[in-house]
Amino acid sequence: MTTMFSKRFVAVGLIVLSGCFSADGAKDQNENWNLPKVVEATASDKTKVKYREVKDALPIRKTKYMIRVPENWNGTLLNDLDYCKKADSYMSMLLLEKGYALSGTVRRPDRGQSYDPAHEAHDFICIFDIFESTFGKPKRIIQLGCSGGGTVTLSMVEKYSDRIDGGIAACAATSQWMANMHLDGLFVMQSLIAPELPIVDLVDYENQKLEALGEKWKVAIDEAQQTPEGRARIALAITIGQWPAWGGRGEAPVIKPDPTNVRALQESMCHSMAMLLPNSRTKGTTMLERAGRGQLRSNVGLDYAELFENGNTHYKAAVKSLYQEAGIRIEDDLKTINAAPRIKSDPAAIKYWSALGRTHVGEPKVPLLRIHTSGDGLVYPVLTQGYEELVRQKGYSDLFRSAYVDNWGHCMFSTGEWLASIETVMQRLDSGVWPDTDPASMNERAKQLEPLSKTRFFDFPGVEQFNRAWVPTVNDYMGTQE
């Protein structure tokens, strides 16, 4: 790991502090700063692992955090956005028993209105400073996390890599990419099924108004699903948006459809569609636009016929079969979509999400493993494929690997799958060479580490080409694009 940040401020489109205090201690910088109290503790579960604990709020944003260091610390610190919430979980205790120190935060209550991965990254830098001043400098730090924790992990490995040694990003999103994917599917639905229902400019909608809009969209989708034409168009929207057909909302894991069974695949697509309609629960895009204070999504200049061709092979085959069954021409519908008035993003929102640490540009500076569940209907799994394509273009492939788990749901990984991912990055850091990350090797690694755990790494089919990779230009960053 490289040297600590400078004591000076660093400008990255917003003011981001380089650290909370120096390695020499805080009193020489701020007489009011006191290091948190270290508590000796013993786990109450079966492991009985002994550890030292710090639990407090960070000095700048008052974000709650926790650090635990076991007696048999192996020198590695694992840092996670959501650690506080799962500190007493089986996996966290198992990692302590294995000698890992663990740290992280709890998500801030104002996150839905002022989401900022760059600020979350700075919280981590504060934690690292506190850790070093309290327990000593780790031999290595691995940043990891799921969902928003995966998103900020990508920011850390790209922009704050001098403070970490590796990263594991699980079910991670890049905000602008996901927002535009969300737009594409809804734009198809609006163009072909419900032109009177809005899909953008929803930032100022209260939850009650969003729910009412969501109900109208649900009625439109339900009615469309009752006709051959509507079923074909729902499948077209999922395929163009590159949304997963598997991953819709449910109380229990939804059955994975056979991709060669057109009827089962289309029904699963309709089920997934319900998760993406505008309402108070599909808050991801709304959260992004509230933070950026403007319309983030855009489809100016896109050819939706090209976007369709880039889709999943099985999905495209199903769409063509459904259109043939309905007796309508897909070419005519694609012309209708392409002729519809386009949506332009707000320069202020683009400027906000162009800032360093808030977006991702495919340039990991330390070893990074991305893992994703294939049935994730909240953060689409092809985002990982799109990032890998960009990493390859930028020439960073040696620092990147990806692996997919064949399971329904968002962040639904087993303990064995997590342990295999951590071990994979550890081996890469130890040797300088990636171990095999093919599904068979990942499953074997997981079984060795946690024999009774499920292991479901598999070859993810993906799409022909990811549609929505985006890297900000200088004009985007300055908010001066035409």
Side-chain angles (χ1 to χ4, degrees), residues 347-362:
I350 293 295
K351 179 180 179 180
Y352 179 88
W353 285 106
S354 294
L356 304 181
R358 291 176 180 155
T359 193
H360 311 125
V361 297

Side-chain angles (χ1 to χ4, degrees), residues 242-414:
Q242 298 190 330
W243 303 349
W246 189 35
R249 205 175 268 113
E251 294 298 325
V254 177
I255 296 174
K256 183 179 181 179
D258 177 353
T260 64
N261 184 324
V262 173
R263 183 67 59 199
L265 184 62
Q266 195 282 330
E267 288 177 358
S268 191
M269 287 176 168
C270 185
H271 189 75
S272 291
M273 177 71 70
M275 195 150 179
L276 301 159
L277 299 177
N279 59 53
S280 61
R281 294 183 302 280
T282 54
K283 60 185 179 181
T285 299
T286 304
M287 181 173 76
L288 303 179
E289 293 183 338
R290 282 175 177 164
R293 294 174 175 79
Q295 167 62 39
L296 176 61
R297 294 165 287 173
S298 172
N299 62 359
V300 174
L302 291 184
D303 179 356
Y304 277 90
E306 180 181 340
L307 266 59
F308 171 71
E309 291 301 327
N310 288 341
N312 176 280
T313 300
H314 287 301
Y315 292 16
K316 289 189 295 181
V319 169
K320 292 173 183 177
S321 176
L322 289 162
Y323 267 84
Q324 185 176 16
E325 178 184 328
I328 55 177
R329 284 167 38 89
I330 187 173
E331 294 82 3
D332 293 339
D333 273 0
L334 289 170
K335 287 179 181 178
T336 299
I337 299 165
N338 274 335
R342 296 310 173 93
I343 294 163
K344 187 176 181 180
S345 57
D346 184 334
I350 293 295
K351 179 180 179 180
Y352 179 88
W353 285 106
S354 294
L356 304 181
R358 291 176 180 155
T359 193
H360 311 125
V361 297
E363 299 178 4
K365 305 300 195 308
V366 294
L368 168 66
L369 174 66
R370 281 190 73 158
I371 59 175
H372 217 120
T373 46
S374 59
D376 186 350
L378 184 64
V379 178
Y380 322 124
V382 295
L383 284 160
T384 294
Q385 178 184 337
Y387 187 81
E388 184 164 13
E389 291 172 0
L390 186 59
V391 165
R392 191 180 306 116
Q393 294 171 17
K394 295 292 193 74
Y396 285 82
S397 292
D398 184 57
L399 289 170
F400 181 78
R401 293 293 184 272
S402 62
Y404 297 86
V405 167
D406 196 21
N407 193 28
W408 172 87
H410 180 56
C411 295
M412 300 295 283
F413 301 99
S414 70

Side-chain angles (χ1 to χ4, degrees), residues 133 182 447 461:
S133 294
H182 195 202
K447 280 297 183 184

Side-chain angles (χ1 to χ4, degrees), residues 118-191:
H119 276 168
E120 292 175 342
H122 178 256
D123 285 344
F124 298 155
I125 292 168
C126 286
I127 290 173
F128 300 157
D129 285 347
I130 292 168
F131 189 102
E132 291 181 16
S133 294
T134 307
F135 300 105
K137 189 173 182 178
K139 294 178 182 177
R140 61 175 54 134
I141 298 175
I142 297 175
Q143 178 66 43
L144 52 78
C146 200
S147 192
T151 296
V152 71
T153 294
L154 297 181
S155 298
M156 292 291 288
V157 300
E158 288 194 352
K159 301 302 178 186
Y160 307 98
S161 58
D162 53 349
R163 296 306 303 268
I164 64 173
D165 300 275
I168 303 170
C171 293
T174 299
S175 298
Q176 175 76 2
W177 300 16
M178 190 169 76
N180 278 334
M181 292 174 69
H182 195 202
L183 171 65
D184 290 335
L186 291 179
F187 190 74
V188 173
M189 299 304 295
Q190 185 187 57
S191 300

